Amino acid sequence: KAGVTQTPRYLIKTRGQQVTLSCSPISGHRSVSWYQQTPGQGLQFLFEYFSETQRNKGNFPGRFSGRQFSNSRSEMNVSTLELGDSALYLCASRPDRLNEKLFFGSGTQLSVL
Amino acid sequence: DAKTTQPPSMDCAEGRAANLPCNHSTISGNEYVYWYRQIHSQGPQYIIHGLKNNETNEMASLIITEDRKSSTLILPHATLRDTAVYYCIVRVISNFGNEKLTFGTGTRLTIIP
């Protein structure tokens, strides 16, 4: 089975732009979660989607949004980028909500200049 | 929320057992202890989890103290591929059925040849 796939692997943007990141979960997995990882704050939960609905949300501003499609693929969008948004964005999938294991992708490294 | 405390770094000789401690003194009775690891440039990988009994799988063993205030992850025969950051996490499920995983700063384990 293919793992969680995130695209693109690297991205460079400038302040004020917006960005869309993509995540394809493991086949059969219906829950997709997003995390932000920075050296200073570590791994922080952004949101979780299940059956095309946001089910859980972390403490991030409204500039961070996401969606999930009927095939369980997910995208996250960050608008009006700030320098502090530079981070590794990780996607994780699992078969159902509250399933014990999260399966992570390798992430998208976003640099905001 | 239950917080975890881990040493920032540890070294272990190749072939020896690596014992990684974690303190979670504020854990509640129904909260599980999880361990993930993150190898450079990859997303976190699930290792093991437990509630109060000791657990073992093909990757590692988890020893949880009787009072559940601390635990130890044991990699029985460390190899160079085990060099990674190891995260000890307490998994909290809210009354609304939402999960919270708080990743701390982890322990950077270096396996020495």
Side-chain angles (χ1 to χ4, degrees), chain B residues 46-102:
Chain B
Y46 167 85
I47 302 173
I48 199 167
H49 73 281
L51 182 63
K52 52 185 175 182
N53 297 321
N54 298 339
E55 301 287 345
T56 296
N57 63 19
E58 65 280 2
M59 288 183 69
S61 294
L62 175 60
I63 308 298
I64 303 174
T65 57
E66 195 168 335
D67 63 9
R68 302 207 332 118
K69 293 185 177 183
S70 65
S71 60
T72 300
L73 178 74
I74 301 172
L75 307 178
H77 305 287
T79 70
L80 297 179
R81 288 177 294 180
D82 292 323
T83 293
V85 177
Y86 287 77
Y87 296 99
C88 169
I89 302 147
V90 171
R91 185 189 187 212
V92 177
I93 307 293
S94 73
N95 292 336
F96 301 103
N98 284 332
E99 167 191 81
K100 184 166 185 177
L101 293 177
T102 304

Side-chain angles (χ1 to χ4, degrees), chain A residues 45-109:
Chain A
F45 172 72
L46 279 156
F47 28 66
E48 179 192 14
Y49 285 85
F50 180 80
S51 292
E52 304 177 62
T53 303
Q54 188 180 93
R55 302 296 181 134
N56 196 4
K57 189 176 187 306
N59 190 25
F60 278 80
R63 299 186 296 108
F64 292 82
S65 63
R67 59 177 176 168
Q68 186 181 35
F69 302 95
S70 58
N71 62 357
S72 295
R73 191 177 70 85
S74 177
E75 290 180 347
M76 70 162 280
N77 184 277
V78 188
S79 62
T80 319
L81 283 166
E82 300 176 1
L83 296 179
D85 297 333
S86 294
L88 179 66
Y89 290 88
L90 291 158
C91 166
S93 76
R94 53 187 165 182
D96 289 289
R97 295 198 71 214
L98 305 184
N99 189 269
E100 293 159 344
K101 300 180 195 178
L102 285 168
F103 295 82
F104 284 85
S106 294
T108 293
Q109 183 67 54

Side-chain angles (χ1 to χ4, degrees), chain B residues 8-66:
Chain B
S9 64
M10 292 180 64
D11 292 339
C12 178
E14 188 178 16
R16 304 296 295 269
N19 296 273
L20 291 88
C22 179
N23 180 286
H24 33 78
S25 57
T26 59
I27 195 170
S28 298
N30 62 345
E31 294 172 350
Y32 282 75
V33 178
Y34 278 69
W35 285 82
Y36 281 77
R37 73 180 182 183
Q38 188 171 21
I39 296 170
H40 183 62
S41 298
Q42 297 181 23
Q45 175 193 25
Y46 167 85
I47 302 173
I48 199 167
H49 73 281
L51 182 63
K52 52 185 175 182
N53 297 321
N54 298 339
E55 301 287 345
T56 296
N57 63 19
E58 65 280 2
M59 288 183 69
S61 294
L62 175 60
I63 308 298
I64 303 174
T65 57
E66 195 168 335

